[in-house]
Amino acid sequence: MTSRLHDHLAEAIKDPDPIRVGDDLICLRFETMKVYSALGAVRHLLETGAVRPGDTLIDSSSGIYAHALALACHRYGMKCHIVGSTTVDRTLKIQLEILGATVEQVPSSNNLQLDQNLRVRRIGEILRDNPSYHWMQQYHDDIHYLGYRAIADLIGELVPAGPLCLVGGVGTGASTGAIAEYLRDRGRDVNLVGVQPFGSITFGAGHTQDPDMIIAGIGSSIEFRNVRHELYDRLHWISFDYAMSAAVDLLRTSGVFAGLSAGAAYLSALWEHNCDSSRKHVFLAADTGTRYVESAFARHAEARPMASMRPREISSLDELAVPWSAMSWDRRESAWARHEEFPSATPSH
């Protein structure tokens, strides 16, 4: 076994651990997947002269991207300012501050749309006072696709031939969409399955509600403009309860300790594999389960047996129903989804 000496932690932690969790089912387990996105975006901005070393990069985050951007800024000698959700907990906030990032959090809210709107509006205020800052716009700028080419390369090495099915949570869309697009550009037959929480408008589920919560990091109550809807073949909407149950099963059966979006992706991938065993299935576990210990894993005694959970197959968004709905999206354009007004802020570049 050979080891590589890295020049920075960001480079060391970005690579996933590929783990076989079933027949023709592979989990790509990341410590923090968005490091790929942040490193690729910051590197591109520097190479093109859009920013210079020492400039301040700013963005909104519920937590994972904040850590990734802070690491990328630390790696490339940039300043970092995060407008965070209340899901940025004390442990993460202290890490961000020691890495040199400045962090402010919007007032606590039980309403995701209000939380996201407040963060975007606050960025607008900061940019007006600091016009030299560069807004990274992880929700809208396609620059965040660039870093994921390396994951497509890795999947190509793990599964060198044959049809694939890629399953993952859709937050901004940069991860699942980018990986599938890079693989398809090389001629691979790839079915892309997106996973969403109820209440997210991204694929038209804004009229539904999960009685527990929207899973942090995926889904949105405002429009994310870098989601390319036409890349997706299938969609699964999964409740907190089912995602928690699957995340517990993933840990219990394979030892993989990952977040709720990974649990939802695991559940969806198992179902898709049952429906089409001709494909190799790969699902993304974008982060660890650390921030879900109290809200989810501590409730492991409540976890449902995997065999008891089945999706409701729907043909129309009007049929969406908790706890689990699945639908053939068939690479439809974004106009087919229901969007709500996005409160914009003017970027500096």
Side-chain angles (χ1 to χ4, degrees):
M1 178 179 177
T2 59
S3 297
R4 177 185 170 193
L5 182 62
H6 296 277
D7 293 326
H8 194 275
L9 179 71
E11 303 291 346
I13 68 171
K14 66 182 177 64
D15 291 340
D17 300 309
I19 301 164
R20 189 183 303 280
V21 298
D23 293 338
D24 297 326
L25 181 59
I26 296 170
C27 171
L28 288 188
R29 181 266 185 197
F30 297 82
E31 183 168 340
T32 173
M33 183 175 69
K34 287 191 176 180
V35 168
Y36 274 97
S37 176
L39 284 173
V42 173
R43 185 166 54 244
H44 179 79
L45 289 170
L46 286 166
E47 289 172 351
T48 58
V51 300
R52 293 172 296 181
D55 283 355
T56 297
L57 308 183
I58 182 173
D59 214 342
S60 164
S61 174
S62 62
I64 300 174
Y65 183 76
H67 187 213
L69 183 60
L71 285 171
C73 287
H74 189 273
R75 166 71 175 83
Y76 288 111
M78 313 293 292
K79 297 184 179 71
C80 179
H81 185 80
I82 299 296
V83 178
S85 166
T86 53
T87 55
V88 177
D89 61 22
R90 175 175 167 78
T91 300
L92 177 56
K93 187 170 185 289
I94 290 173
Q95 288 185 71
L96 296 176
E97 290 171 347
I98 293 173
L99 284 168
T102 52
V103 184
E104 60 177 282
Q105 291 173 279
V106 299
S108 179
S109 172
N110 292 326
N111 183 296
L112 178 64
Q113 182 174 16
L114 178 60
D115 175 80
Q116 290 177 321
N117 287 347
L118 285 173
R119 282 188 272 146
V120 172
R121 290 192 183 113
R122 177 58 186 146
I123 286 177
E125 294 170 359
I126 294 170
L127 291 173
R128 284 191 290 272
D129 294 337
N130 301 273
S132 65
Y133 285 12
H134 182 91
W135 184 18
M136 292 299 292
Q137 298 195 83
Q138 66 147 327
Y139 301 145
H140 310 305
D141 196 334
D142 286 350
I143 194 174
H144 292 92
Y145 276 60
L146 299 175
Y148 290 110
R149 183 186 299 272
I151 302 180
D153 292 340
L154 173 62
I155 293 174
E157 294 172 5
L158 289 171
V159 189
L164 281 169
C165 178
L166 177 67
V167 184
V170 184
T172 65
S175 56
T176 50
I179 296 167
E181 194 165 41
Y182 285 130
L183 286 167
R184 288 171 180 167
D185 286 347
R186 297 167 193 170
R188 289 300 293 268
D189 175 4
V190 179
N191 268 2
L192 179 57
V193 179
V195 179
Q196 285 272 279
F198 289 96
S200 171
I201 73 163
T202 304
F203 287 89
H207 61 293
T208 64
Q209 185 176 2
D210 185 337
D212 281 295
M213 63 177 285
I214 287 183
I215 300 168
I218 63 172
S220 178
S221 63
I222 62 175
E223 180 185 358
F224 288 175
R225 292 196 294 268
N226 66 5
V227 176
R228 299 176 188 171
H229 298 75
E230 67 275 11
L231 295 176
Y232 293 83
D233 297 282
R234 295 266 296 164
L235 264 296
H236 286 250
W237 293 266
I238 294 179
S239 69
F240 170 87
D241 180 33
Y242 275 32
M244 179 271 287
S245 299
V248 168
D249 185 83
L250 181 61
L251 176 56
R252 181 178 289 132
T253 59
S254 68
V256 174
F257 181 48
L260 289 178
S261 67
Y266 170 53
L267 185 62
S268 303
L270 284 173
W271 181 259
E272 292 295 324
H273 181 260
N274 287 338
C275 295
D276 183 6
S277 59
S278 67
R279 293 177 180 271
K280 300 281 188 183
H281 288 68
V282 177
F283 72 94
L284 306 178
D287 65 336
T288 71
T290 303
R291 67 173 174 165
Y292 299 105
V293 169
E294 294 302 324
S295 64
F297 288 97
R299 298 168 54 180
H300 61 88
E302 304 170 26
R304 298 171 182 268
M306 294 292 284
S308 71
M309 297 183 288
R310 297 174 61 89
R312 177 184 186 183
E313 192 69 34
I314 63 173
S315 58
S316 166
L317 292 172
D318 294 330
E319 301 170 6
L320 274 169
V322 175
W324 183 8
S325 295
M327 180 179 181
S328 292
W329 188 259
D330 296 328
R331 306 190 189 184
R332 290 175 170 88
E333 298 287 339
S334 62
W336 199 70
R338 301 173 183 172
H339 289 314
E340 298 172 7
E341 185 178 354
F342 168 67
S344 62
T346 303
S348 60
H349 296 282

